[in-house]
Amino acid sequence: MRQLCVCVSVLLALATMAVARPKEGPEQKCKSGPVDLIFIIDSSRSVRPHEFETMRKFMIDIIHTLDMEANATRVGVVQYSSQVQNEFSLKTHGKLQGMVKGINEIVPLAQGTMTGLAIKYVMNHAFTAAEGDRPKVPNVAVIVTDGRPQDRVVEVAAEARDKGIEIYAVGVARADLTSLRAMASPPIEDHVFLVESFDLIYQFGLQFQDKLCGMDLCLESDHGCEHLCESSPRSFHCLCLPGYTLNEDGKTCKAIDLCAGGKHDCEQICIPSPGTFTCGCNTGYTLNDDKKTCTTCRSANIDLVLLIDGSKSVRPQNFELVKQFVNQVVDSLDVSAHGTRVGLVQYSSHVRTEFALKMYEKTDDIKKAVMNVEYMEKGTMTGLALKHMMENSFSEAEGARKNIPRVGLVFTDGRSQDDITEWAKKAKEEGITMYAVGVGKAMEDELREIASEPLDKHFFYTTDFTFINQIAENLKLNVCAEESQGEIEVKDPCACESLVEFQQATMSTLEQLKTKHILLYTALVH
């Protein structure tokens, strides 16, 4: 009685489906993507000839709705009774006509019902590479039977499912529901189908097509998409990550190079990344705040004081290289009264200002003065030099300006003979950007103590004086990057702050004139 109720419920559901679903014409193919499909059909003696013909038509109707191209659906047919017979394998027919012909030529075996044996054959033989099974392509088996199996199906069906075979169990008339449920893949309600007669089996074809075409082919097939796969009804298509575009093969992706396409507005260098870009500058230039245009270091306005080691360990020939190093740095700057100012201090056992910040306003004059510097050739009082720089070199009396970045550069070739800690700390505390350049026997710890953070931009060392020209090149870039960031205060005469200052100055002048005239008037009266 319970089985009869189930049958009635299924029939009612099928009737509703038949009314709601428009019948598909033969031209409407299911774009299911790659699927390897095996029909396992019961040809036992209980299946009457006209019923077998209905089953034959059922298979033909299903394959007419599927995409039978070489890379899409492959179909094989196995019939069973007391034995199993392979009618044609997955690799036998590449076209629909051949499959239809093969199905029409099937001769029923008309013996017992060894369903378990049939499942085992399909698992071990039909779904193999030798018979046309493809790797990473879904394996689907549709079992159609009208009776109870004469052998065990539970274990072999479980083994087949574990190997990735999706099993649909279709029962007709006298089929045993318990056995159908034991064979089918989960969820049971989607894979078990029981009808009262073979005449109604075509309804399973409609449901099966919906299930097959409703596969998430991105998950259940080897889609071949390089980046992303997006499922769609009965198909899928490939997508690319942001910044990439799909190649003509519809599978692989290539980066969108906006630099090559001329879709950038970088003044000098365009650095591509997928779908975007950043701008860069040539050597000797730095990127401006709008991140597109470039300027040379000559746009940097700084007050720069260089402290050069004149101790005897440097030696005369190397001291000439030090002077060339200084001039190489000067060449990269915009020296003028309102641009960059340069001061030079030499130190050994004592400290001497070679020229102050305010002394020269032209590059050539500074370079000439540098080459005329006489070598001291005594001790190494680096701490005393830092103290002199703080107390004298960066004073307004020697030409240091307000609101202009202050940069100190210490050049040494050995250990300091006095303590540098106090004045190195004070220099940085007062906002002076400190660079430390060491050669030969210079102490790395001292150089690090002098240099500002980050150290990789402010600390330089080489073992040989002949390589300090390269340091000058690197230093030029860092000075540009660190010091030309618009820190100079240039007031707009029309700005509100400037107007207020003008007003205050004017009022003060008027007040002074008023007081002066009142005093003068009082003196005349008396």
Side-chain angles (χ1 to χ4, degrees):
M1 183 66 182
R2 181 178 178 186
Q3 181 173 338
L4 179 61
C5 291
V6 171
C7 292
V8 171
S9 299
V10 172
L11 288 172
L12 288 172
L14 290 172
T16 303
M17 184 193 306
V19 173
R21 177 191 171 101
K23 188 174 182 180
E24 295 194 16
E27 75 282 353
Q28 292 179 288
K29 297 291 185 180
C30 168
K31 299 293 183 182
S32 59
V35 176
D36 289 341
L37 170 64
I38 300 289
F39 288 104
I40 307 173
I41 57 173
D42 180 356
S43 63
S44 61
R45 66 176 64 92
S46 61
V47 179
R48 300 180 181 116
H50 73 277
E51 292 175 336
F52 193 85
E53 292 306 314
T54 302
M55 191 156 35
R56 196 193 306 270
K57 184 177 183 302
F58 154 76
M59 289 188 288
I60 293 173
D61 286 346
I62 285 182
I63 65 174
H64 267 102
T65 66
L66 302 176
D67 182 3
M68 289 299 159
E69 295 185 11
N71 293 324
T73 304
R74 292 185 182 180
V75 174
V77 177
V78 171
Q79 69 158 318
Y80 73 95
S81 59
S82 297
Q83 58 183 320
V84 179
Q85 184 167 305
N86 185 30
E87 296 301 331
F88 57 85
S89 65
L90 293 168
K91 69 177 181 180
T92 304
H93 299 294
K95 295 184 177 180
L96 179 64
Q97 294 86 341
M99 295 179 193
V100 172
K101 185 174 182 293
I103 291 172
N104 283 327
E105 292 176 349
I106 296 174
V107 178
L109 295 172
Q111 297 172 0
T113 312
M114 302 295 285
T115 312
L117 184 65
I119 296 173
K120 187 173 184 179
Y121 175 87
V122 168
M123 175 179 64
N124 294 332
H125 184 76
F127 282 125
T128 62
E131 293 299 308
D133 181 52
R134 294 166 291 179
K136 298 183 180 179
V137 171
N139 290 342
V140 178
V142 176
I143 302 172
V144 183
T145 182
D146 79 328
R148 182 189 298 272
Q150 294 176 340
D151 57 355
R152 294 185 61 82
V153 297
V154 175
E155 293 83 359
V156 70
E159 185 180 355
R161 294 194 300 268
D162 288 343
K163 288 188 175 182
I165 301 174
E166 185 176 11
I167 302 175
Y168 288 84
V170 183
V172 182
R174 300 166 296 279
D176 178 52
L177 182 60
T178 302
S179 298
L180 296 175
R181 293 172 66 88
M183 291 185 286
S185 296
I188 297 300
E189 61 271 17
D190 290 340
H191 292 84
V192 172
F193 201 88
L194 183 63
V195 296
E196 194 174 51
S197 68
F198 279 92
D199 292 338
L200 295 173
I201 197 174
Y202 77 92
Q203 293 288 1
F204 168 74
L206 299 179
Q207 177 174 309
F208 177 70
Q209 182 185 346
D210 283 343
K211 294 294 183 184
L212 193 62
C213 295
M215 283 182 176
D216 187 340
L217 296 176
C218 290
L219 296 177
E220 301 182 42
S221 69
D222 185 14
H223 52 74
C225 297
E226 183 180 6
H227 284 182
L228 304 172
C229 176
E230 182 175 76
S231 292
S232 56
R234 305 184 180 183
S235 187
F236 69 90
H237 59 276
C238 299
L239 299 173
C240 296
L241 294 170
Y244 293 82
T245 185
L246 200 63
N247 289 320
E248 292 181 1
D249 60 10
K251 301 284 187 180
T252 59
C253 300
K254 63 180 178 182
I256 300 172
D257 188 348
L258 295 179
C259 291
K263 297 179 180 178
H264 66 88
D265 50 0
C266 298
E267 182 181 11
Q268 292 186 0
I269 298 174
C270 181
I271 304 166
S273 55
T276 186
F277 65 91
T278 54
C279 296
C281 298
N282 297 322
T283 302
Y285 292 79
T286 186
L287 198 64
N288 291 326
D289 291 339
D290 60 9
K291 304 302 180 185
K292 303 290 184 182
T293 60
C294 302
T295 53
T296 66
C297 191
R298 295 186 182 279
S299 66
N301 292 337
I302 59 174
D303 285 346
L304 171 64
V305 175
L306 298 103
L307 279 65
I308 57 172
D309 184 352
S311 61
K312 59 184 176 183
S313 61
V314 174
R315 297 183 181 177
Q317 65 272 24
N318 288 333
F319 191 73
E320 293 302 311
L321 294 176
V322 174
K323 292 194 287 186
Q324 291 177 21
F325 163 82
V326 171
N327 282 345
Q328 194 174 352
V329 173
V330 171
D331 271 332
S332 68
L333 303 172
D334 180 19
V335 177
S336 67
H338 302 290
T340 292
R341 294 183 180 179
V342 177
L344 182 64
V345 172
Q346 182 183 180
Y347 68 95
S348 60
S349 297
H350 64 282
V351 182
R352 181 174 73 208
T353 297
E354 302 295 349
F355 53 84
L357 288 168
K358 67 181 180 181
M359 188 168 295
Y360 299 112
E361 297 180 358
K362 295 181 180 179
T363 300
D364 289 344
D365 292 341
I366 293 176
K367 293 174 67 176
K368 183 178 180 180
V370 169
M371 297 311 295
N372 288 332
V373 170
E374 294 183 0
Y375 178 36
M376 286 181 171
E377 201 173 356
K378 293 184 180 179
T380 311
M381 304 293 284
T382 313
L384 185 63
L386 289 169
K387 181 176 184 293
H388 178 89
M389 177 191 73
M390 292 292 298
E391 294 180 345
N392 299 283
S393 303
F394 282 121
S395 66
E396 291 186 33
E398 293 206 0
R401 296 164 291 177
K402 293 182 179 179
N403 302 316
I404 297 294
R406 296 179 177 183
V407 180
L409 189 153
V410 178
F411 185 99
T412 182
D413 84 323
R415 182 193 295 273
S416 177
Q417 294 175 340
D418 60 352
D419 183 59
I420 65 166
T421 302
E422 179 185 358
W423 292 102
K425 181 179 178 183
K426 282 185 178 181
K428 288 178 283 189
E429 286 177 347
E430 292 195 15
I432 300 173
T433 301
M434 294 299 299
Y435 288 83
V437 178
V439 182
K441 297 180 180 180
M443 301 301 297
E444 184 174 328
D445 289 345
E446 288 186 355
L447 295 172
R448 290 179 178 275
E449 192 170 359
I450 292 169
S452 295
E453 296 287 345
L455 290 177
D456 62 327
K457 293 184 181 295
H458 299 89
F459 162 69
F460 301 88
Y461 175 80
T462 180
T463 56
D464 195 320
F465 276 88
T466 58
F467 293 114
I468 59 175
N469 63 327
Q470 186 59 49
I471 292 180
E473 284 297 318
N474 295 335
L475 178 68
K476 176 182 65 176
L477 296 177
N478 286 344
V479 168
C480 286
E482 295 294 324
E483 307 305 332
S484 60
Q485 300 299 317
E487 295 179 18
I488 304 165
E489 184 179 358
V490 180
K491 295 185 178 180
D492 180 354
C494 297
C496 179
E497 182 181 354
S498 296
L499 289 174
V500 170
E501 290 179 359
F502 175 77
Q503 182 181 16
Q504 289 175 343
T506 303
M507 293 300 294
S508 177
T509 302
L510 290 174
E511 188 66 27
Q512 290 174 5
L513 288 172
K514 179 181 177 181
T515 303
K516 181 178 179 180
H517 281 84
I518 290 173
L519 291 173
L520 180 60
Y521 177 77
T522 303
L524 290 172
V525 170
H526 294 286

